[in-house]
Amino acid sequence: MTTQPEQILENNLVAQLEGLNYKKVVIKDEQDLISNFKIQLEKHNKVSLNHKEFKQVLNYINKGNIFQRAKVLRERVPYINEKGDTKTVELINQIHWCQNEFQVTQQVTIEGSYKNRYDVTILINGLPLVQIELKRRGLELKEAFNQTNRYERHSYGAGHGLFQFIQLFVISNGVNTKYYANNPVKARSFKQTFYWTDVKNKLITQLSKFTEEFLEPCHVSKMITRYIVLNESQKILMVLRPYQFYATEAIIDRVKTTTKFGYIWHTTGSGKTLTSFKTAQILTNLPIVHKVVFVVDRKDLDYQTTKEFNSFSKGSIDGTNNTKTLVKQMSGDNKLIVTTIQKLNTAISKKRYLSQMEGLKDKRIVFIFDECHRSQFGKTHNDIKNFFQESQMFGFTGTPIFEDNVSNNEFGKRTTTMLFDTCLHKYVITDAIRDENVLKFSIEYIRTFKKKDGIADINVEAIDEAEVMKDPRRLNNISDYIILNHNRKTHNREFTAIFCVPSIPILIEYYNLFHEKKQKKLHDLKIATIFSYGANEDDKDAVGFVEDSEFLAAAEPEAEYNTKHSRDSLEEFIGYYNKDFNTNFTTKDSQSFYNYYNDVARRVKNKQVDVLLVVNMFLTGFDSKSLNTLYVDKNLKYHGLIQAFSRTNRILNELKSQGNIVCFRNLKPATDEAITLFSNIDAKDEIILKPYEEYITLFNQAFIELLQITPTVNSVNDLPSEEEELKFIRAFRELMRLKNVLATFTEFEFDDVSMDEQGFEDYKSKYLDLYDKAKSHNQKEKVSILGDIDFELELIHRDEINVAYILKLLSKLKDATPEEQERQKKALIDLISGDTKLRSKRELIEKFVQDNLPHIEDSEDIPDEFETFWDAEKITAINKLSKDENLDSEKLEKIIGEYLFTEKSPMRDDVIGMMKTRPSLKERGSTAERITSKILKFVETFISGISG
């Protein structure tokens, strides 16, 4: 039997659940359901309820919608007994979730507007809390999803509405199994259905394995009581995805069993805020934890996170508008606090707050740092750690700092692992794309200029690239391209876009171009912008709009700009915004500017702004599901690139199928490097420092070499030529590098080296002056090539960041050991197995990886080799189909071509017409159906989704 009937699937599932200690119960209709509920409720609460008392309970819980009933489920239900006393019963034990009554039933029939019969229902304390709908193997999983929607409309609310207490749905066709939270139909989306996995993100799709892991009574009860969040602002239920569950559990276990630090690496867009909220919420209930402090690194994120946390649980936190409020909360009864790292630093460093903060030094405070790749690499991290001596620190990041993307500061090079210790759970970009928890990226690289015909190769020492990039003709062409293509990219403005540019002067030019074209009626796009104008008007706690230093480290350095001019321009642009939206914002006071920032964010999310022009703002930490396109005219790399691209990859609905990235610069090498780094779960995350004594020796040797060039500070003045000055610069630069490394050791003092601190500072002054001089003298004269190029836009390359793309990237890791290559090969095959679009192609891709890939010396040849392999396999398959079914191969190819064009299944007469031997009239129907099925399978395997 090739398909497994639903009844067999259902019976096997019920038998397996019985083996997991569910008690099977026969429930035919609502009356049976209510009778059983009374028995189980009494058993769970160890009480006996008479008819009148039970009726009170039944009436009390029979009110409200799905969300309100979810709240009732988690409360005690009151009733008045025969003596007139008010008593309560518990519907579910949330503290000891295993201590509930677990039952399973099947084929319950409820009659509402129509009569419906449900497949398998899990009852906890008599209430139907998990509903399982099954489809036979070979049918699409979405049919089961649609069926639960139909039941919600037609019968779940009938009678006493006990089926409105469902918390989780499970849908399965035997080979694929997913779960999702119950919600009103309009709040459901198939995009919000999830596979379960093991702790290493390996998918668990088979129904029997899923049942064993997920439907085990203690686990499913834990998911319901602990890992469903009731979102107060949207009035919906949100269930955690497996990686969110494992990360939360890992931190809780870490806090319960150790005082060690740790961090979570979950790719950008995968829902870290929900994970961190649930983690914080559970930790606040642990007696050993004094407080939980959630730390963000920007004032706008302070507001945004407070709002989101309170949406998950109304009134769970108060915002910390200033340091005084923070100190009051830290020394008060607030168990959960959200604040900025700047305010926290002020609270522990300013004398006026120390008397209130001193008492917290030895308290068990858990700090959770959001986006810990950004703010944790300066002095503040050490200051917080040293002040709160009994604290425990955890970080969340989508883009950790590794050896490959680490930047240097006065404390030397430090990775995320060096600051936060062990990575407790990983969920990387390949995992998220495979699981469809974030969208893939579709990246277009647009060439914006090319060499004129008849011009020889431009071969000069230094091309003035900046001149080309900011040429008005190029900027005009790009703005025209955006105007022309924006509707196509955003599905006629169903979605919005961000346009990131390299500097504020360029942003101003772009804005003016868009504005002028709008005045001429060339477009009707709503364009908005925001940028920081020089030194922001910091508030007393220095928590104004501070640029994201780590992001800037991951972007190319930009030229200085005229602060006054940029602020005047921003004021003018805000004036246009005020006119568009009838608002009254200004840069003239910091609160109004901050309100403008929040208003822009809100209107982008509400699709009232079509294109938001930015330099750095909004490229990190800004989440908008309605944003699907990023236009890029800016050099990005590593975590800066992934963070910026990830503004577009939030899952929303069927229409939003990908994040569109349109690059007007050649970022392909940088993109490939970034995707490779953040797809590699074994990326090197620690920079091994040598012992302190070795660096002392190296410093002293470097000092001797410096003295050989310049014996005294004043002798720097007497260096005879630029060549000698350059030698001094190089010698002191090495000395300075070693001093920065030494400064990371707590024991470092200048007394340990042969150079005193004053001497170092004196030489440093000379170095800085000479460095500027050498830099300007050695700069080659840049040659203009504007006369040799044409400015025109042309699509030169498109990448889809999917599993096939990542396969190509990771195959470039040729320097790995044979064992490492074998491990990577296995990981790749696992990835392919998990990709629903590649499932039909798995065996062939696996064959290519195993047999062909090892023999390809140059990774650049992989696409061509794969195409050759695929064509050969395609010909083999079509020949086999022709031979097995005795078909005319030319007619077969014609029918396949027509199907690809029309997407309509071949007509039966056409299928019969290509058979060399016609079947009898009796057999024609089944024969045509069999051959058609093989044709569709061939197309699915060899043609559908194979490009890109």
Side-chain angles (χ1 to χ4, degrees), residues 222 226-227 244-254 282:
K222 186 179 193 178
R226 194 177 225 188
Y227 289 112
Q244 296 173 314
F245 168 84
Y246 290 122
T248 305
E249 291 275 290
I251 293 179
I252 292 163
D253 181 68
R254 190 87 157 173
I282 294 170

Side-chain angles (χ1 to χ4, degrees), residues 251 254-255 259-264 276 279-280 283-284 289-296 309 326 330 335-341 343-345 347-348 357 360-370 372 376 380-396 419-420 424:
I251 293 179
R254 190 87 157 173
V255 171
T259 55
K260 293 178 180 177
F261 296 4
Y263 74 94
I264 302 297
S276 54
T279 303
L283 289 175
T284 56
V289 174
H290 181 67
K291 285 183 190 297
V292 179
V293 182
F294 189 82
V295 186
V296 296
F309 273 27
L326 170 62
M330 290 290 289
K335 284 281 282 184
L336 177 57
I337 297 166
V338 173
T339 191
T340 63
I341 195 166
K343 279 188 281 227
L344 186 59
N345 189 47
I348 62 173
M357 297 293 289
L360 298 168
K361 279 189 170 184
D362 59 350
K363 298 291 185 186
R364 183 82 180 276
I365 296 175
V366 175
F367 289 97
I368 298 175
F369 291 92
D370 189 36
C372 66
Q376 295 303 301
T380 307
H381 177 91
N382 281 339
D383 288 347
I384 295 169
K385 190 167 91 172
N386 293 335
F387 186 89
F388 298 100
Q389 293 165 11
E390 298 300 316
S391 68
Q392 208 165 353
M393 293 185 174
F394 297 98
F396 278 82
L419 290 180
F420 284 97
L424 301 178

Side-chain angles (χ1 to χ4, degrees), residues 561-746:
Y561 52 85
N562 184 314
T563 300
K564 183 177 186 297
H565 176 259
S566 67
R567 181 168 180 177
D568 289 345
S569 295
L570 181 57
E571 190 68 31
E572 180 189 349
F573 301 158
I574 291 175
Y576 298 141
Y577 183 93
N578 289 335
K579 192 174 177 182
D580 279 343
F581 297 112
N582 195 27
T583 51
N584 191 30
F585 299 113
T586 179
T587 65
K588 290 175 183 175
D589 75 80
S590 57
Q591 188 59 47
S592 181
F593 183 62
Y594 177 59
N595 293 342
Y596 172 64
Y597 180 101
N598 286 326
D599 198 67
V600 168
R602 182 174 62 83
R603 292 188 192 277
V604 171
K605 289 180 180 182
N606 292 338
K607 300 186 283 191
Q608 293 171 282
V609 170
D610 294 312
V611 180
L612 178 64
L613 258 168
V614 300
V615 179
N616 289 314
M617 282 184 175
F618 284 81
L619 294 183
T620 59
F622 175 66
D623 290 343
S624 172
K625 290 182 178 180
S626 60
L627 195 150
N628 83 327
T629 299
L630 179 73
Y631 302 111
V632 185
D633 187 19
K634 175 187 182 75
N635 292 332
L636 298 166
K637 60 185 180 183
Y638 290 130
H639 46 288
L641 182 145
I642 294 293
Q643 288 286 336
F645 283 18
S646 295
R647 296 314 100 208
T648 67
N649 73 348
R650 304 313 195 255
I651 298 281
L652 178 61
N653 54 26
E654 303 292 331
L655 187 61
K656 189 180 179 186
S657 59
Q658 61 194 30
N660 294 320
I661 312 296
V662 183
C663 290
F664 300 109
R665 299 182 177 218
N666 182 16
L667 296 185
K668 182 164 173 54
T671 302
D672 290 355
E673 281 182 23
I675 296 287
T676 302
L677 178 63
F678 294 113
S679 300
N680 181 9
I681 61 170
D682 296 318
K684 193 170 180 183
D685 59 3
E686 191 166 359
I687 298 167
I688 307 299
L689 289 177
K690 297 172 185 174
Y692 177 67
E693 293 73 22
E694 279 194 43
Y695 286 107
I696 293 290
T697 303
L698 289 170
F699 183 94
N700 289 338
Q701 288 172 355
F703 181 45
I704 291 168
E705 289 174 20
L706 178 74
L707 292 177
Q708 288 171 351
I709 299 166
T710 49
T712 65
V713 171
N714 288 333
S715 66
V716 177
N717 303 333
D718 303 325
L719 291 171
S721 69
E722 289 179 3
E723 191 175 331
E724 276 73 22
E725 288 176 349
L726 202 55
K727 284 180 183 176
F728 165 74
I729 288 170
R730 285 175 181 153
F732 187 77
R733 188 165 57 202
E734 176 62 15
L735 196 70
M736 194 161 55
R737 186 188 69 80
L738 289 165
K739 187 260 178 187
N740 286 341
V741 175
L742 283 168
T744 64
F745 291 90
T746 53

Side-chain angles (χ1 to χ4, degrees), residues 403-459:
E403 183 179 18
D404 286 347
N405 63 319
V406 69
S407 56
N408 213 345
N409 64 17
E410 59 186 298
F411 299 97
K413 293 185 175 184
R414 298 193 293 179
T415 65
T416 304
T417 292
M418 293 166 73
L419 290 180
F420 284 97
D421 199 2
T422 309
C423 181
L424 301 178
H425 193 259
K426 296 176 183 179
Y427 187 73
V428 302
I429 191 168
T430 44
D431 296 322
I433 291 173
R434 176 202 65 196
D435 297 346
E436 298 180 338
N437 282 325
V438 300
L439 299 173
K440 64 187 177 185
F441 299 123
S442 177
I443 307 174
E444 291 183 345
Y445 299 97
I446 309 293
R447 182 165 62 196
T448 55
F449 58 88
K450 69 175 186 178
K451 192 175 61 178
K452 284 182 178 177
D453 292 340
I455 298 293
D457 279 347
I458 302 163
N459 187 17

